[in-house]
Amino acid sequence: MVVAKAQLAVSSIFTDHMVLQQNAKVKIWGKAAAKEAIKLKLTFLKKTINLVADDKGNWQTDIATPHHGGPYEMVIEGAKNTIKIEDIFLGEVWLASGQSNMQFPLDSNSKGYNGPFNFKEEVKNANYPSIRQFVVKGTISRTTSDAQQGEWLVCKPENAKKISALAFFYARNLQQNLKVPIGIINSSWGGTNIEAWMSAKDLNAFESEHEKLKNITVESVKVNENYPSVLFNGMIFPFRKYNIKGVIWCQGENNINDPRNYAKKMESLIKGWRMIFEQRDLPFLYVQIAPFNYMGRSKQYFWGKDNSLGYLVEEQVKVLKISDVFMARTGDIGDVKNIHYRNKQEVGQRLSSIALKEVYNKNIAITNGPNVVKVKYLANKAIVYYDNIGNGLIIKGKTINGFELSEDGINFYPADAVLEGKNISVSCSQLSRIAAVRYCFKNTQEVNLFNSASLPALPFRTDQLAY
């Protein structure tokens, strides 16, 4: 890319195959000699932009991009060298982040992850030249850094081992509907806590993090990828100037041990990211945590309870009170034997349907499953009322999974549930009165109640029992 070795440089995210956000004001920045004169030419603009680096050699400009298109070129000329960047597209750019279910690639890579369903066929057919992912290298940083490490990869079979499967299916569905190039900044790391992705400023509200934050810059203190703020510093902050349309987030498994405060932390993360990307209403789409036998994991990874999933999902739902925040449900998608569920296609489809309706204003009637409106207690049963059911509720299987009842709000018993018109009637022969209902609240309970759009109901409870 660099024709001659000299001081002029552009930020490392600006390389061949990149995607810039269309119809937006985008920043382009880099380094040069102090006061060096710079000329910037883009083939989708009709003019040359003249710049001068500041006293420290920093330079930056804002460009108004037109509607989607490409491929284009960018040429940056300095006093001693010229940088040429080719195969640039204008389209929609999304940041994808989280842990392994976001990170794991389109191709199979280990015994613990067998790739998405039909991954061999998906890889063979993954020829989408106008879908690209900037794969961010895993970077731990004690302080905020502008250093960027990664590469733009065109979606094609030979890159399948590097690009996120979930982000690929999301991008593919978006492109098929929007008919524009799609760029994904894939900044994810398996087995990581939400705290690692939050800024120190946004973590200050949580007393449990104070000691670690105080010691984060002490070199004698060992840090890993789960130390507070280190992934925000090294893998989110460096990209804050790059214009993005929104965020897709898939994380939670590493916080399931203790779900308390997860909602507050996620709210803080969203607000913090919106601030650094300078977009107050930045769309934030995320994935519900999926069923899995967490109790079967070693104590190194899980020391929670058999209903930790229910509490974590409850925390995830609380975040929906923030504007422009949306959740795709996965209560029917998890694999109780494999934390890395393979049906990434469906998750990508659900996320993209939400984006198409809520972000791009497409006419999609239903993008999520049934919601509980109210629960009515009778002498020996509970009636659960749902809305957002489309043409009606659907049961996939002979019986409805996962309902439990309690007469004291503490001890719960498996219950029988039957469809009665548009409602669910829940009863248990062991109980003489009903005080509380839970649905698919345990780690391994899989949702099989859907609306007519084949989208799943949500785990819930009516009791107030503390975790």
Side-chain angles (χ1 to χ4, degrees):
M1 183 179 71
V2 179
V3 176
K5 192 173 181 180
Q7 286 182 295
L8 176 65
V10 66
S11 178
S12 61
I13 196 170
F14 299 102
T15 68
D16 294 347
H17 317 307
M18 70 179 178
V19 181
L20 294 173
Q21 179 61 40
Q22 67 169 339
N23 300 320
K25 186 168 73 173
V26 303
K27 293 181 173 65
I28 299 174
W29 67 96
K31 299 285 289 185
K35 300 296 185 181
E36 183 175 353
I38 300 162
K39 290 184 178 181
L40 175 62
K41 301 175 183 178
L42 289 146
T43 53
F44 57 79
L45 294 179
K46 296 180 180 179
K47 61 181 180 179
T48 298
I49 299 172
N50 295 298
L51 304 165
V52 178
D54 66 17
D55 293 340
K56 296 181 179 179
N58 298 309
W59 62 268
Q60 179 176 302
T61 187
D62 292 338
I63 293 172
T65 57
H67 63 274
H68 63 89
Y72 299 112
E73 292 182 359
M74 178 190 298
V75 177
I76 310 168
E77 298 178 2
K80 296 181 179 179
N81 69 298
T82 298
I83 299 170
K84 185 177 182 180
I85 301 171
E86 300 176 311
D87 192 34
I88 302 168
F89 276 82
L90 301 179
E92 295 296 297
V93 181
W94 286 76
L95 170 63
S97 189
Q99 53 184 113
S100 55
N101 275 319
M102 180 64 82
Q103 180 187 21
F104 276 5
L106 185 59
D107 201 354
S108 180
N109 73 340
S110 71
K111 291 181 180 179
Y113 174 68
N114 297 315
F117 288 150
N118 305 320
F119 75 89
K120 291 182 179 179
E121 183 180 353
E122 294 285 12
V123 169
K124 181 181 177 181
N125 296 324
N127 285 299
Y128 294 88
S130 59
I131 295 178
R132 286 96 188 275
Q133 288 192 28
F134 184 85
V135 182
V136 181
K137 183 180 179 181
T139 305
I140 295 170
S141 182
R142 294 174 183 265
T143 57
T144 54
S145 169
D146 280 323
Q148 300 167 349
Q149 299 183 67
E151 59 179 331
W152 279 104
L153 297 172
V154 178
C155 287
K156 51 187 177 180
E158 50 264 48
N159 289 329
K161 288 186 179 296
K162 295 182 179 180
I163 62 174
S164 160
L166 178 51
F168 167 74
F169 293 124
Y170 175 78
R172 185 176 70 180
N173 293 330
L174 277 191
Q175 188 187 64
Q176 288 172 348
N177 284 274
L178 298 176
K179 312 298 182 187
V180 303
I182 304 293
I184 299 287
I185 301 174
N186 174 15
S187 185
S188 49
W189 189 322
T192 52
N193 302 332
I194 192 172
E195 294 84 357
W197 296 100
M198 298 170 63
S199 73
K201 177 184 176 183
D202 293 324
L203 277 170
N204 277 331
F206 303 95
E207 190 174 345
S208 60
E209 308 302 323
H210 287 178
E211 190 66 25
K212 288 183 176 180
L213 289 171
K214 188 173 70 174
N215 293 328
I216 192 169
T217 58
V218 179
E219 289 299 323
S220 60
V221 175
K222 293 183 178 180
V223 301
N224 60 20
E225 69 273 16
N226 273 317
Y227 207 85
S229 296
V230 294
L231 300 185
F232 170 85
N233 294 339
M235 297 178 67
I236 299 298
F237 184 85
F239 302 97
R240 69 195 183 282
K241 296 180 183 179
Y242 204 84
N243 191 297
I244 60 174
K245 187 68 173 185
V247 175
I248 53 173
W249 169 259
C250 186
Q251 194 277 335
E253 294 90 344
N254 252 53
N255 287 86
I256 198 173
N257 298 304
D258 187 355
R260 292 172 294 184
N261 282 331
Y262 187 84
K264 291 181 180 178
K265 287 179 178 177
M266 193 168 168
E267 290 169 13
S268 187
L269 178 144
I270 293 169
K271 292 174 183 176
W273 286 19
R274 284 176 168 177
M275 183 172 293
I276 66 160
F277 282 101
E278 297 181 356
Q279 295 189 58
R280 215 170 81 177
D281 301 317
L282 182 72
F284 195 100
L285 284 57
Y286 60 102
V287 180
Q288 175 195 324
I289 195 170
F292 171 68
N293 181 22
Y294 295 97
M295 297 296 287
R297 301 187 87 192
S298 70
K299 291 182 179 179
Q300 176 186 359
Y301 296 105
F302 186 72
W303 54 92
K305 304 175 182 178
D306 66 355
N307 55 12
S308 293
L309 175 138
Y311 283 94
L312 197 284
V313 171
E314 188 174 69
E315 290 290 297
Q316 288 182 309
V317 171
K318 290 178 183 177
V319 184
L320 293 172
K321 67 184 181 184
I322 303 177
S323 64
D324 299 293
V325 172
F326 310 95
M327 184 178 78
R329 300 179 186 179
T330 57
D332 61 317
I333 283 179
D335 182 341
V336 297
K337 296 181 180 180
N338 188 348
I339 196 169
H340 303 122
Y341 50 82
R342 300 184 65 188
N343 194 357
K344 298 295 193 297
Q345 290 95 329
E346 182 65 27
V347 182
Q349 173 68 45
R350 291 177 185 178
L351 276 174
S352 63
S353 292
I354 294 171
L356 289 167
K357 180 177 182 178
E358 305 294 348
V359 180
Y360 297 105
N361 301 312
K362 297 296 182 181
N363 185 20
I364 301 176
I366 300 176
T367 58
N368 239 323
N371 299 313
V372 175
V373 177
K374 66 177 180 178
V375 177
K376 184 177 181 180
Y377 299 107
L378 303 179
N380 60 349
K381 66 180 180 179
I383 307 296
V384 183
Y385 296 81
Y386 283 94
D387 66 4
N388 201 44
I389 63 175
N391 295 325
L393 292 170
I394 295 173
I395 304 164
K396 295 187 178 180
K398 294 181 179 180
T399 59
I400 303 174
N401 300 333
F403 272 101
E404 298 174 288
L405 293 175
S406 172
E407 58 185 1
D408 59 7
I410 299 173
N411 300 294
F412 284 82
Y413 300 88
D416 297 317
V418 295
L419 179 61
E420 292 185 352
K422 297 181 179 180
N423 311 318
I424 303 296
S425 175
V426 190
S427 60
C428 178
S429 59
Q430 293 176 262
L431 306 178
S432 57
R433 59 181 292 271
I434 309 300
V437 182
R438 288 185 175 186
Y439 174 62
C440 286
F441 216 70
K442 285 187 165 60
N443 300 338
T444 57
Q445 289 174 329
E446 297 177 278
V447 172
N448 71 336
L449 179 63
F450 301 80
N451 58 19
S452 60
S454 289
L455 293 167
L458 193 65
F460 77 93
R461 65 171 178 151
T462 62
D463 64 278
Q464 301 297 318
L465 190 64
Y467 184 76

